[in-house]
Amino acid sequence: MGRALSLRARPAGVFGVAFAARVALVLYGAFQDRALLVRYTDVDYRVFTDAARLLSQGRSPYLRATYRYTPLLAWLLTPNVHLCELFGKLLFISCDLLAAWPLYRLLLLRGLGRRGACGYCALWLLNPLPMAVSSRGNADALVAALVLAALYLLARGRLACAAVAYGLAVHLKLYPVTYILPIALHLQRGAPPPAPAPAPAPAPAPRRARASALLPALCSRAVLLFAAVAGLTFCALSLGFYRRYGWEFLEHTYLYHLTRRDIRHNFSPYFYMLYLTAESPWSPALGVAAFLPQLLLLSAASLAYYRDLAFCCFLHTAIFVTFNKVCTSQYFLWYLCLLPLVMPQVRMPWKRAAGLLVLWFVGQALWLAPAYLLEFQGKNTFLFIWLAGLFFFLINCCILIQIISHYKEEPPAERVKCD
């Protein structure tokens, strides 16, 4: 798995095929929405369009029920109302493709040749899951493009630009906020070492020494600059929309996602517990307690792997999605866009990697079978959905363990110029 995936096709050819496939899916979706009972377009896309229509009328986008996003997204999709309803889908597939550009440049910076980098990018560009999700009208491609742009700009040392991209990504979706600790730890490596003690003293324990040196290092110029620019970007957008829409902006854009207790069936191992305790006074506390395993694992991953920022962010996202109290198929895109950056450093036999991939799809299929019976036939299969979700949870944990155990921090031997 660590060997470079080489393609004979040029990057422009791979991008062209990926673009044509996504446009074809958008056009097919328009046909299916008109001709078939089951719609191709994601229900959230209709929510986005309705919110954009409200904005174009000078009204609040939050008058549309279930709109739980920043008004910026509705503003971006106002051409859905004035030009063409497919505009948003074309925007999302364009961001899907744009995400591959910083991905490609990062792979070059990490030591791969152009053919090898193109081969790994093809795992994103020609992946049917991102194609389907973005062409159905899901906006997560916007965040993926911003996250990858931030990582690329950080790798090039352009901290201010990276911070703007990162702050915008957090404004659109909250999950990238978990990257702030590994980013800070990664940037503090450039801080000057602390001055030696004037007189010899008993050496503290290694852990205490590292902990005592951590706080001053986190106050380095690079960390403070990144935090200030990212915070300013996030706060400027948030304050601007708060002045316009008031408390409902904070409630629907941020607070809802922190206190959300989704009792509908999803991949999360917590969903059945939250479903059974929906009317219990303990339900809000259980929802908050579900964050504790995430917090512990994310902190451990940050301290262990911050030197390789791309790998650490991949672990963060995979852990966050796997242990989240709400998990749907579109969440998988959050870490799949980072997977091509990780694969060159994961020295896993191809047979084992293929077996894990098959197991991942089998876990989803086992979950989808009882979910189909519940949604389309009205059968009470909640227990079977939960058991299948637990099995899928174990599969994801197993895959993460295998990736970590086969990860090698040293870059590939081949080095090339990236410019």
Side-chain angles (χ1 to χ4, degrees):
M1 192 171 173
R3 295 180 181 177
L5 294 175
S6 297
L7 290 182
R8 293 185 178 181
R10 295 181 178 180
V14 176
F15 275 79
V17 171
F19 176 73
R22 283 163 171 80
V23 171
L25 284 174
V26 170
L27 297 177
Y28 168 78
F31 164 76
Q32 179 175 323
D33 289 346
R34 291 182 174 88
L36 300 180
L37 181 62
V38 178
R39 295 175 61 89
Y40 180 83
T41 301
D42 194 324
V43 65
D44 283 344
Y45 189 72
R46 298 201 300 271
V47 175
F48 300 158
T49 303
D50 292 343
R53 184 173 292 107
L54 289 169
L55 272 180
S56 65
Q57 298 169 355
R59 304 165 69 189
S60 169
Y62 300 109
L63 293 175
R64 175 53 163 98
T66 72
Y67 185 77
R68 314 288 188 185
Y69 310 92
T70 170
L72 180 61
L73 182 58
W75 279 109
L76 289 174
L77 297 187
T78 49
N80 276 19
V81 180
H82 302 293
L83 296 179
C84 174
E85 195 169 333
L86 296 179
F87 172 85
K89 291 186 178 183
L90 296 175
L91 173 65
F92 298 154
I93 65 171
S94 299
C95 291
D96 208 0
L97 295 170
L98 286 174
W101 182 83
L103 188 62
Y104 176 73
R105 304 296 291 180
L106 276 166
L107 287 166
L108 294 180
L109 287 174
R110 290 168 74 85
L112 273 73
R114 295 183 182 276
R115 289 176 59 187
C118 185
Y120 284 112
C121 283
L123 297 175
W124 169 258
L125 288 170
L126 305 181
N127 190 324
L129 183 58
M131 285 185 188
V133 170
S134 59
S135 63
R136 293 183 67 225
N138 185 276
D140 284 333
L142 290 170
V143 185
L146 287 169
V147 167
L148 288 167
L151 291 177
Y152 172 68
L153 291 167
L154 279 171
R156 296 301 303 267
R158 301 176 63 180
L159 295 185
C161 295
V164 171
Y166 177 75
L168 186 54
V170 175
H171 177 75
L172 288 171
K173 284 278 187 183
L174 283 178
Y175 80 88
V177 76
T178 65
Y179 302 161
I180 190 62
L181 179 57
I183 289 176
L185 291 172
H186 184 78
L187 290 176
Q188 57 87 22
R189 296 187 309 166
R207 291 183 181 179
R208 290 183 58 192
R210 289 196 297 266
S212 61
L214 181 61
L215 185 59
L218 290 178
C219 295
S220 66
R221 178 182 178 276
V223 175
L224 293 177
L225 174 63
F226 184 89
V229 176
L232 182 62
T233 302
F234 177 83
C235 291
L237 289 168
S238 299
L239 287 174
F241 287 125
Y242 178 75
R243 286 175 59 89
R244 181 73 181 268
Y245 302 107
W247 177 257
E248 62 180 357
F249 158 72
L250 296 178
E251 179 183 1
H252 294 292
T253 306
Y254 302 132
L255 300 179
Y256 168 79
H257 299 283
L258 295 176
T259 61
R260 179 181 182 184
R261 290 175 288 113
D262 197 334
I263 61 174
R264 295 176 296 176
H265 58 287
N266 59 83
F267 288 102
S268 173
Y270 299 110
F271 109 85
Y272 197 49
M273 176 191 69
L274 297 176
Y275 170 75
L276 294 177
T277 61
E279 303 300 328
S280 170
W282 291 96
S283 184
L286 291 173
V288 174
F291 286 115
L292 294 179
Q294 287 177 314
L295 180 62
L296 293 174
L297 291 171
L298 293 177
S299 300
S302 298
L303 295 173
Y305 296 106
Y306 68 87
R307 293 174 184 83
D308 187 343
L309 186 57
F311 183 73
C312 192
C313 289
F314 168 79
L315 288 183
H316 262 238
T317 315
I319 290 170
F320 182 87
V321 171
T322 301
F323 287 83
N324 201 31
K325 57 185 177 180
V326 179
C327 179
T328 62
S329 296
Q330 68 192 47
Y331 290 17
F332 303 152
L333 266 67
W334 299 355
Y335 59 80
L336 285 179
C337 68
L338 297 167
L339 184 60
L341 293 175
V342 172
M343 290 180 65
Q345 267 65 51
V346 179
R347 311 301 169 83
M348 185 187 299
W350 277 104
K351 290 183 178 180
R352 178 171 298 186
L356 292 174
L357 180 62
V358 170
L359 192 61
W360 190 68
F361 281 112
V362 168
Q364 293 183 66
L366 291 175
W367 184 91
L368 288 171
Y372 174 84
L373 295 176
L374 173 67
E375 287 190 31
F376 294 97
Q377 298 187 12
K379 296 183 179 180
N380 184 359
T381 57
F382 278 98
L383 179 60
F384 297 102
I385 292 174
W386 178 61
L387 293 175
L390 288 179
F391 181 62
F392 187 60
F393 171 78
L394 293 176
I395 290 173
N396 281 295
C397 291
C398 176
I399 292 174
L400 275 174
I401 292 171
Q402 289 295 311
I403 289 176
I404 292 172
S405 62
H406 290 86
Y407 164 74
K408 304 296 181 184
E409 189 170 354
E410 67 271 10
E414 178 189 9
R415 303 296 301 181
V416 296
K417 290 185 178 180
C418 63
D419 292 324

